Amino acid sequence: MNQNKGILYLVPSPIGNLNDISKRIIDTLNSVDCIFCEDTRNTQKLLNLLNIKKNTISCHEHNEKEMSFKLISLLNEGKDIAYMSDAGYPAISDPGEILVKEVSKNNIKIVPLSGPTASLTALIASSLDTSHFLFYGFLNSKHSERIKEIKEIKDFPYTIIFYEAPHRINETLLDLYELLGDRKITIARELSKIHEEFIYTSLKEITSLNKEFKGELVLVLEGNTIKKDNYDLSLIIEKYNELIKNNISKKDAIISLSIIYKINKNILKKMFINNKKEEN
Ligand code: SAM
């Protein structure tokens, strides 16, 4: 990395609760030469609350590519710059990805700060599998495209996180139920705000209620966990025993079988444990 060039800091902003701002974020905002941001009015409000005086420069989804050249020329002059979107992590369903792509081609150091993001905040309290997951972000707002997208992820075996707007959520829940059948779903609403709420439900139950949703929402959906009974368990156990006989470790045998039979490896582990209990 060229020491004379500046640093691009990717700075998260609160998703609702101002206290989520860390000391490191404040120190970084105080130290940079200027702040590129999605909406200068929003970021200015935050800077006023933090009593930080810095120049802000607008860089949003419609001008990100052009602004990346201005950003790179300032970084090349040795200026340190922060980029902030309106809420949460930049580049997560927000502008920032193009800036990072362009800046990274120029031998310039990029430092991401950790902080609030709605996706992981919702996931960790969802009660669904957190060991593997897909962050999907927003499904397409056009119905025909949304249907295509849902079909593409139908067989995905792990938890899936969606962002959704309150005026579209009921339509989306119905599409998910019609195309994927019944699954567990957790709806996280107004995270970190006064009216924070987690609704632990299923697609069948929630679509039957036709509930009115307000505020900001994250949907955390159970993956395609195929039931144990759908498999020829004795065949899978036979294959497992064969692998063990051939000196393959239990862990590797489970990984191989999960790939061959397209079964989540945690489900396979549970299947073997249950089977052992039945044998005893
Ligand atoms: N960059 C942000 C992040 O890191 O989470 C996401 C920005 S995206 C434009 C806005 C969407 O994030 C909202 O429509 C909602 O789905 C989700 N979101 C943001 N803040 C939220 C909150 N406090 N509670 C629930 N969902 C939130």
Side-chain angles (χ1 to χ4, degrees):
M1 289 288 149
N2 187 326
Q3 300 289 314
N4 300 320
K5 293 186 182 186
I7 296 174
L8 171 63
Y9 292 95
L10 301 171
V11 179
S13 42
I15 56 169
N17 192 322
L18 188 64
N19 288 332
D20 280 344
I21 283 271
S22 68
K23 180 165 182 320
R24 187 173 178 217
I25 291 177
I26 295 174
D27 289 348
T28 303
L29 292 176
N30 269 314
S31 76
V32 292
D33 293 289
C34 74
I35 301 169
F36 276 51
C37 51
E38 184 180 6
D39 184 331
T40 50
R41 282 162 308 178
N42 259 340
T43 301
Q44 194 54 59
K45 271 188 214 152
L46 182 67
L47 295 176
N48 290 345
L49 286 167
L50 298 172
N51 206 14
I52 296 173
K53 291 186 181 40
K54 287 287 156 174
N55 272 350
T56 54
I57 298 175
S58 169
C59 173
H60 46 74
E61 61 173 327
H62 304 295
N63 72 355
E64 196 177 342
K65 182 90 180 180
E66 298 106 83
M67 291 312 287
S68 69
F69 302 123
K70 182 171 170 104
L71 176 76
I72 290 165
S73 90
L74 289 170
L75 289 161
N76 278 332
E77 286 170 22
K79 303 265 191 285
D80 287 338
I81 297 173
Y83 183 67
M84 299 182 90
S85 65
D86 279 350
Y89 276 16
I92 297 298
S93 296
D94 262 345
E97 184 187 319
I98 298 173
L99 288 187
V100 171
K101 279 200 176 114
E102 295 302 324
V103 170
S104 66
K105 288 181 202 158
N106 284 269
N107 197 26
I108 291 169
K109 191 170 173 183
I110 301 172
V111 176
L113 272 61
S114 57
T117 179
S119 55
L120 295 181
T121 310
L123 175 70
I124 58 171
S126 69
S127 87
L128 297 173
D129 181 8
T130 56
S131 52
H132 309 284
F133 59 88
L134 168 73
F135 170 67
Y136 198 89
F138 288 100
L139 284 160
N140 202 300
S141 56
K142 208 168 145 204
H143 189 247
S144 57
E145 290 303 314
R146 191 158 72 230
I147 296 291
K148 266 192 226 159
E149 290 180 338
I150 296 173
K151 284 184 178 165
E152 271 169 19
I153 50 171
K154 191 173 192 300
D155 294 327
F156 188 74
Y158 308 116
T159 307
I160 309 172
I161 306 168
F162 300 101
Y163 284 166
E164 193 47 285
H167 66 272
R168 211 173 321 141
I169 183 176
N170 280 316
E171 221 181 292
T172 297
L173 289 171
L174 267 178
D175 287 340
L176 289 169
Y177 183 40
E178 275 167 19
L179 293 163
L180 309 180
D182 198 17
R183 289 192 190 183
K184 287 184 196 161
I185 185 163
T186 299
I187 301 172
R189 205 175 71 77
E190 295 287 88
L191 289 164
S192 81
K193 304 184 198 176
I194 295 168
H195 298 294
E196 177 177 278
E197 180 186 21
F198 281 86
I199 305 167
Y200 298 94
T201 179
S202 67
L203 284 174
K204 188 175 178 185
E205 183 183 57
I206 198 74
T207 47
S208 72
L209 298 177
N210 199 24
K211 197 173 147 57
E212 194 194 335
F213 290 93
K214 284 189 182 141
E216 299 201 271
L217 304 158
V218 181
L219 312 182
V220 189
L221 180 69
E222 182 180 44
N224 186 354
T225 52
I226 302 157
K227 301 237 165 24
K228 163 186 161 195
D229 305 348
N230 293 351
Y231 293 102
D232 182 347
L233 182 57
S234 55
L235 178 71
I236 298 176
I237 290 172
E238 204 179 291
K239 296 271 175 215
Y240 175 79
N241 289 335
E242 249 174 54
L243 290 170
I244 300 295
K245 252 192 215 158
N246 287 312
N247 291 328
I248 308 288
S249 70
K250 283 182 189 170
K251 190 174 163 211
D252 287 345
I254 286 177
I255 292 173
S256 311
L257 292 171
S258 78
I259 294 167
I260 297 168
Y261 292 98
K262 295 193 175 66
I263 309 174
N264 179 325
K265 59 180 185 325
N266 293 323
I267 295 176
L268 266 183
K269 254 191 234 162
K270 275 186 204 147
M271 278 165 60
F272 289 129
I273 293 165
N274 286 344
N275 189 60
K276 269 197 187 137
K277 279 185 199 148
E278 278 160 25
E279 276 173 4
N280 290 339

